[in-house]
């Protein structure tokens, strides 16, 4: 038995709570990652749309959370697989980001081939967390 002055189920009483601004982080994606990190899987969506998955990928890269999401990514990808572009369109950059961050080589190869085959100029990926080696 644990002894001491511990009181269970008591909320901490902070004199001055600290607020951490996360202005550039997508709130929905961040909440999904926080629920995941705290094992609140009932609050983690089984499916997400392409925009949300892209935002999750950006945060996974930013905060180095790949291991946290490994068991969820395959399921999320199943819900958006039909949006992988076969021609140049606005979904190409998000898919490059998703494939690179979540280390999905086959998807990255597919979207890279589309980009290489169909782009007529430079490809601005400066806003995506992809390795530029």
């Amino acid at each position: 038995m644990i002894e001491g002055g511990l009181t269970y189920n008591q909320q901490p009483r902070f004199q001055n709570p600290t607020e951490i601004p996360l202005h550039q982080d997508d709130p929905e994606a961040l909440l999904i990652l926080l629920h995941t990190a705290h094992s609140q899987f009932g609050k983690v969506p089984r499916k997400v749309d392409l925009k949300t998955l892209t935002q999750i990928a950006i945060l996974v890269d930013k905060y180095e959370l790949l291991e946290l999401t490994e068991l969820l990514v395959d399921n999320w990808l199943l819900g958006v697989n039909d949006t992988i572009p076969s021609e140049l369109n606005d979904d190409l950059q998000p898919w490059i980001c998703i494939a690179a961050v979540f280390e999905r080589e086959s998807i990255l190869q597919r979207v890279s081939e589309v980009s290489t085959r169909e782009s007529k100029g430079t490809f601005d990926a400066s806003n995506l967390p992809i390795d530029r080696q």
Side-chain angles (χ1 to χ4, degrees):
M1 182 166 154
I2 299 175
E3 294 182 20
L6 297 177
T7 304
Y8 296 97
N9 296 323
Q10 183 177 350
Q11 294 294 323
R13 294 188 183 126
F14 295 108
Q15 295 293 332
N16 297 311
T18 302
E19 185 173 309
I20 302 170
L22 302 169
H23 302 294
Q24 295 178 346
D25 294 348
D26 181 86
E28 180 183 3
L30 183 59
L31 189 58
I32 290 168
L33 291 173
L34 288 172
H35 287 315
T36 304
H38 291 277
S39 300
Q40 297 173 336
F41 296 111
K43 296 179 181 180
V44 176
R46 304 228 188 289
K47 293 183 180 184
V48 293
D49 60 20
L50 183 62
K51 177 186 173 292
T52 303
L53 186 56
T54 304
Q55 292 302 316
I56 291 171
I58 290 168
L59 295 180
V60 164
D61 183 71
K62 179 178 180 179
Y63 296 115
E64 300 178 4
L65 299 173
L66 183 59
E67 288 183 13
L68 178 71
T69 58
E70 282 181 332
L71 297 176
L72 299 167
V73 173
D74 286 334
N75 200 46
W76 289 336
L77 287 170
L78 285 175
V80 293
N81 261 345
D82 59 339
T83 66
I84 297 175
S86 57
E87 59 187 30
L88 195 60
N89 65 33
D90 291 340
D91 290 343
L92 194 61
Q93 283 189 347
W95 272 108
I96 291 172
C97 171
I98 290 165
V101 169
F102 294 121
E103 300 175 351
R104 296 308 195 265
E105 293 299 322
S106 62
I107 296 173
L108 187 57
Q109 184 174 352
R110 282 174 56 187
V111 293
S112 295
E113 287 172 1
V114 171
S115 175
T116 302
R117 183 181 65 238
E118 298 202 15
S119 63
K120 305 270 189 273
T122 59
F123 186 83
D124 180 21
S126 60
N127 61 333
L128 299 177
I130 56 176
D131 192 6
R132 290 169 181 78
Q133 292 180 359

